[in-house]
Amino acid sequence: METDLSQARIGVAAKKKNAYLGKRILQHKQLYLMLLPCLVFFVIFSYIPMGGLILAFKNYQFNKGIMASPWVGLTYFKAFFSDYQSGKLIRNTLAISSIKVFLGLPFPILLALMFNEIKHRKFRGMMQSISYLPHFLSWVIVVGLMQRVLAPDTGLLNEAIRFFGGDGSTFFMMESKYFYSLMFGSHIWQSIGWDSIIYLAAMASINPELHEAAKMDGANKWHEIWHITLPGIRLTISILFILSLGSILQAGFDQIYLMRTPGNMELADILDTYIIRVGLQNGQYGYATAVGLMQSVIGLVLVITANRASKKFFDESIW
């Protein structure tokens, strides 16, 4: 009898919850309609293609198709970790991703702090537009500009070196010792303005009364930034950092592929370029899918782990 009553109560609670949810959806139907194209985009381009992950466990044959191709189990995963290149590929990918994630984290925050302190609206808008512009340039254009600026004979940088009495014939794109600097510098230049938008929006939501109270207590700008602004965007920083860990094994195919030269190949050969090479060029679709699946699974595990650690130690998390 008690069991029946409990089930009835659960059923009533579920109906009330569904009714409340339906009422909320009708109340805010315009917002849900605006969200619909985004949901459709992710369903079509993110969730439906996940069905192709079955290739990681099959020996794909064109004449049989995906479903009729024979199963091979974990053969491709074993083959990758047995490959002599796997250690170098993982090491290079982790090195580039770590530089972007950890060293690149403060730059958009600092830019947002600077924008937040500019009181002249037109000047701030102009500077923001200038900083956003590189985001809309493809890596083909960015790397093309780099090649022109860093060319050994006619490049702007080498001409400046010659002007000050130096040699001025260095092929920066070809030497591996300049690879990380060029990679990180171009990444920051292209992404810093766009990445600062979220931090700037978070700063705008901070109660201005806190700044006024700090000024009355004699705090200067540095004190306001350190004790009010940064704590006010701490949750945003934590969430974006946790999400960025999901791509720790994806160092950015476009940029690295275009920056690769025979001189820096030892550092620039990463998992993303390897997947394209074995998948599209060599036709090993199942093997390439297995490597890509490994990247995604490790990224998911890192996000879940970092989220739990953040919730435990800082009481802040995504979910």
Side-chain angles (χ1 to χ4, degrees):
M1 187 69 178
E2 292 181 1
T3 305
D4 294 338
L5 285 172
S6 299
Q7 290 179 349
R9 287 171 182 170
I10 292 172
V12 171
K15 288 180 180 179
K16 286 183 178 179
K17 186 176 180 180
N18 292 334
Y20 176 74
L21 180 61
K23 185 178 179 181
R24 293 278 295 177
I25 291 174
L26 288 174
Q27 185 180 0
H28 303 287
K29 55 181 179 296
Q30 294 89 351
L31 297 177
Y32 283 100
L33 284 174
M34 291 173 63
L35 184 63
L36 185 61
C38 181
L39 294 176
V40 171
F41 172 85
F42 279 105
V43 168
I44 295 175
F45 295 102
S46 296
Y47 286 95
I48 293 177
M50 287 177 68
L53 293 176
I54 196 174
L55 281 172
F57 309 97
K58 287 201 166 196
N59 180 19
Y60 177 66
Q61 297 176 9
F62 284 99
N63 58 336
K64 294 183 179 180
I66 296 177
M67 302 308 297
S69 296
W71 291 92
V72 294
L74 300 176
T75 301
Y76 295 135
F77 297 94
K78 295 176 182 177
F80 173 73
F81 287 106
S82 300
D83 192 337
Y84 74 96
Q85 300 180 79
S86 61
K88 181 189 73 173
L89 293 168
I90 294 174
R91 184 174 62 252
N92 290 345
T93 305
L94 285 174
I96 294 172
S97 298
S98 298
I99 290 172
K100 289 182 177 181
V101 171
F102 296 103
L103 293 184
L105 179 65
F107 287 88
I109 300 174
L110 292 172
L111 184 63
L113 287 170
M114 288 191 289
F115 284 151
N116 192 52
E117 295 302 322
I118 299 176
K119 303 305 178 185
H120 195 282
R121 277 191 170 186
K122 290 185 178 180
F123 180 71
R124 181 173 63 181
M126 181 183 68
M127 296 306 296
Q128 284 180 289
S129 300
I130 292 173
S131 68
Y132 299 161
L133 183 60
H135 173 78
F136 299 99
L137 301 178
S138 70
W139 277 111
V140 176
I141 297 174
V142 175
V143 176
L145 289 171
M146 291 173 61
Q147 290 173 343
R148 291 300 183 95
V149 172
L150 302 174
D153 296 320
T154 59
L156 182 63
L157 183 57
N158 275 304
E159 288 187 359
I161 292 173
R162 281 195 297 270
F163 178 80
F164 289 103
D167 180 39
S169 60
T170 306
F171 199 162
F172 293 96
M173 298 289 289
M174 187 66 72
E175 297 189 22
S176 59
K177 63 181 179 181
Y178 299 114
F179 173 73
Y180 286 133
S181 301
L182 296 175
M183 176 274 301
F184 182 64
S186 58
H187 166 72
I188 291 297
W189 180 77
Q190 201 241 17
S191 63
I192 185 173
W194 188 258
D195 292 345
S196 69
I197 294 175
I198 298 177
Y199 297 113
L200 195 59
M203 291 174 191
S205 66
I206 298 174
N207 190 345
E209 293 180 0
L210 295 174
H211 292 280
E212 293 174 5
K215 289 177 181 176
M216 291 178 65
D217 290 338
N220 57 31
K221 281 295 179 184
W222 292 110
H223 292 146
E224 289 184 47
I225 291 172
W226 186 256
H227 295 288
I228 298 175
T229 308
L230 289 178
I233 64 171
R234 185 176 63 182
L235 179 60
T236 304
I237 296 172
S238 301
I239 291 174
L240 293 179
F241 176 72
I242 291 170
L243 292 175
S244 67
L245 291 177
S247 58
I248 197 70
L249 283 181
Q250 297 172 351
F253 168 75
D254 295 347
Q255 179 193 18
I256 305 304
Y257 184 79
L258 293 167
M259 287 186 65
R260 290 193 315 165
T261 63
N264 62 26
M265 190 64 72
E266 279 298 310
L267 301 176
D269 199 15
I270 58 174
L271 288 171
D272 299 289
T273 57
Y274 181 71
I275 289 171
I276 295 297
R277 187 163 66 248
V278 300
L280 295 183
Q281 295 179 2
N282 298 342
Q284 301 178 42
Y285 301 109
Y287 183 76
T289 304
V291 179
L293 178 60
M294 179 200 68
Q295 286 181 288
S296 301
V297 170
I298 292 176
L300 176 62
V301 171
L302 285 173
V303 168
I304 294 173
T305 304
N307 185 70
R308 288 184 176 179
S310 178
K311 189 173 184 179
K312 181 178 179 180
F313 294 107
F314 306 106
D315 199 26
E316 294 176 353
S317 62
I318 302 174
W319 63 86

